Each structure stands twice: as C-alpha cells, then as structure tokens.
Amino acid sequence: MTISRSTSARWIPVVATLGASALFATSGTARVVSDVSADSVTIAAVRLTIGALGLIAISSFVGRFKELIRLWRMPLVWVMGAGVAAYQALFFIGTGRVGVAVGTLASLALGPLMAGLLAWALGAKRPEAIWWVSTVVAIAGLTVLTLGGLDSSVSIDVIGVLAAVGAGSAYSVYTVLGSRLSTPTTNATDVLAASFIIGSLVLIPLAIPHLNELNSAAGVGLSLWLGLAATTAAYVCFGIGITYLAPGTVATLNLAEPVIATVFGVVLLGEVIQGLTAVGCALIALALVILSVSTIKGEK
C-alpha cells in the first residue's frame, strides 16, 4: 500500500492509527464482558502469540514469508521483539503494583514523548512545534483522566512506578524501530509479524502453567478477539501509521485509546463519567484534533 501526497490520501495513516487505537481500546471491555478470571500476564501472552500468528499468516498468504526470514536475520527486529515483550511484562507489573490508573499514566503518557525524543536522537528530524503542543496537551489530558479515576486506596511504590515507566520506554523502542524498519518497500505487517513472534516466544512460557484458566468458551472467545482483532487487525492499522507518520505522531495519536475505552465503558458497561474524566477526555480529544489536522504527513 502506497500513500500519495494528496491531502485526502494523507488522512489514511491518521485514520488507520486512530482505528488501531479503537481496536486496542476494546481489550478492557472485552475482558469485563467475557468475565474470564485468567491473570493478566497469561492473557497478554496468549493475545500476543495469537496476534503474531495472525500477522505471520497475512504475510505468508500474500507471498512474503521470505521477507519474514530476511527480517529475522536483522538485529533490530530482535531488539524490537524484546521491546514488545518488555512492554507487555512491565505494563502488567506496574499496574499490578501501583494500580491501573497510575500505571497507565506512567506508561502511556510518557510513550509519545519518549518516542519523539528517541526518534530524534536516532537521526530523525526534530519534532515540529505543533507536535510538542499537542503532546503536552494530551499528556495533561491523560493526567486529568487518570486522576478522575484514581483509587486513593492503592499504595504507590517505587518499583511499580519504575516498571510502568519502563513499559513506556519499551513502547517507544518498538514504535521507533518499527517506524525505521517499515517503509513503502518494506511492509509494516511483515516487520510487526517478525518482531511480535519473538516477543511471544519470550512471554508464552509464563502463560503455559496457567493456560487452563482460558479453557472455556468465554476464554477461547476472549483470546481470539484479543489476538485477531485487538492485535492482528489493530497492528495492521498501526503498521500503516508507522510507515507514513513520525513515531512521536503515532504515539500521540494512540492516546485516543483511553478516551475510546472510556466511551466503551459508558456506552456498553453503564459506567458514569465524573467531572475530571470528562475534562481529561476533552483535552486528549483536542490534542488529537490539533495533531491530526496540522501534522499529517504523506511520507516519513
């Protein structure tokens, strides 16, 4: 897929990235609806494995399996795969120790900033002023959104915060490396498939002793949805974004995920939005509109 330089075509990677965020955002709602009691790390490992196999199937179906073999010979793909595994593991360690609210804030909020700075450090051009403005507004919105749902009974410890910050760092690593490796001639789906299967091989041993927790119709359904929809399909869309947009832009656009997840919670689960939550969602939405309209790029 090649995106032209026309204004209408340049919306495609932005819409694709926001579509990926919408699919990512279904994860929490799907888990609540399924009422599956499996632990988070097991679900994450199974999700990543199924998602990686789905991406490999797509690459193989269109005749690009040899491209996967070529990518597996590249050290950067292994570093990217380690980043994928580290993100999954550190995110759940962080949220387990400091709670979902603070853990999400420490990982997701820092992701865009780290991705933009890392890409710049590795030779990409300096992020434009509009990106700095929209990222600051988005981080402020995520902070307010988190404070709106913060459970004051959660004990915050240094290890948990460091794990969550590490998750944000790992996210920036695989986003930036995926962006560098994905070009109009090297398909992002292949890059993601090659790195994700590496990440799944790291995590799946942790899930093997607990796979029986997903041995039910609801467990299988949840695994397939998270693997094929919220991972395979989501990362096909994400791949379009990292091919044609700067890493920092992709990471900032992905802050749509907590907003969309909040909407799903209200519409599908009957949750009530409190004042701070509404303000946080509004700030993130404003940042996304600013970034989408002002910094769309036809090519990297």
Side-chain angles (χ1 to χ4, degrees), residues 85-181:
Y87 171 76
Q88 294 286 338
L90 290 173
F91 179 81
F92 287 112
I93 291 172
T95 54
R97 295 183 71 102
V98 301
V100 174
V102 175
T104 300
L105 172 62
S107 57
L108 284 183
L110 292 178
L113 186 60
M114 291 179 176
L117 294 178
L118 179 59
W120 185 16
L122 292 178
K125 70 176 184 178
R126 178 179 179 177
E128 298 177 0
I130 195 67
W131 175 81
W132 291 98
V133 172
S134 59
T135 298
V136 169
V137 173
I139 291 174
L142 185 58
T143 302
V144 174
L145 179 62
T146 301
L147 291 174
L150 183 61
D151 181 357
S152 60
S153 67
V154 175
S155 177
I156 298 177
D157 63 81
V158 175
I159 294 177
V161 171
L162 289 177
V165 171
S169 301
Y171 169 82
S172 68
V173 167
Y174 81 75
T175 299
V176 171
L177 293 183
S179 181
R180 288 174 68 89
L181 292 168

Side-chain angles (χ1 to χ4, degrees), residues 36-127:
V36 172
S37 60
D39 73 277
S40 297
V41 175
T42 297
I43 291 176
V46 171
R47 167 188 181 174
L48 186 60
T49 301
I50 294 175
L53 292 175
L55 290 168
I56 289 176
I58 292 173
S59 296
S60 301
F61 180 76
V62 296
R64 293 200 302 263
F65 189 76
K66 289 183 178 180
E67 179 67 8
L68 293 177
I69 296 176
R70 183 185 73 83
L71 287 167
W72 281 321
R73 295 171 179 165
M74 299 175 64
L76 280 183
V77 171
W78 288 83
V79 175
M80 186 178 168
V84 172
Y87 171 76
Q88 294 286 338
L90 290 173
F91 179 81
F92 287 112
I93 291 172
T95 54
R97 295 183 71 102
V98 301
V100 174
V102 175
T104 300
L105 172 62
S107 57
L108 284 183
L110 292 178
L113 186 60
M114 291 179 176
L117 294 178
L118 179 59
W120 185 16
L122 292 178
K125 70 176 184 178
R126 178 179 179 177

Side-chain angles (χ1 to χ4, degrees), residues 11-34:
W11 280 99
I12 294 176
V14 171
V15 172
T17 303
L18 293 174
S21 296
L23 287 168
F24 294 149
T26 65
S27 301
T29 302
R31 186 173 181 182
V32 172
V33 171
S34 69

Side-chain angles (χ1 to χ4, degrees), residues 98-278:
V98 301
V100 174
V102 175
T104 300
L105 172 62
S107 57
L108 284 183
L110 292 178
L113 186 60
M114 291 179 176
L117 294 178
L118 179 59
W120 185 16
L122 292 178
K125 70 176 184 178
R126 178 179 179 177
E128 298 177 0
I130 195 67
W131 175 81
W132 291 98
V133 172
S134 59
T135 298
V136 169
V137 173
I139 291 174
L142 185 58
T143 302
V144 174
L145 179 62
T146 301
L147 291 174
L150 183 61
D151 181 357
S152 60
S153 67
V154 175
S155 177
I156 298 177
D157 63 81
V158 175
I159 294 177
V161 171
L162 289 177
V165 171
S169 301
Y171 169 82
S172 68
V173 167
Y174 81 75
T175 299
V176 171
L177 293 183
S179 181
R180 288 174 68 89
L181 292 168
S182 303
T183 67
T185 56
T186 301
N187 195 281
T189 299
D190 301 336
V191 174
L192 293 167
S195 60
F196 276 35
I197 197 64
I198 294 170
S200 72
L201 290 175
V202 173
L203 289 182
I204 199 63
L206 301 176
I208 290 176
H210 307 285
L211 289 179
N212 62 306
E213 297 173 358
L214 294 170
N215 188 24
S216 65
V220 172
L222 177 64
S223 299
L224 291 176
W225 175 263
L226 294 180
L228 298 179
T231 303
T232 299
Y235 277 101
V236 169
C237 295
F238 183 85
I240 296 173
I242 62 174
T243 301
Y244 296 99
L245 299 174
T249 300
V250 172
T252 300
L253 289 174
N254 271 329
L255 290 183
E257 179 184 347
V259 176
I260 298 171
T262 300
V263 172
F264 285 158
V266 172
V267 174
L268 300 177
L269 303 178
E271 296 177 354
V272 178
I273 292 183
Q274 302 296 326
L276 284 178
T277 302

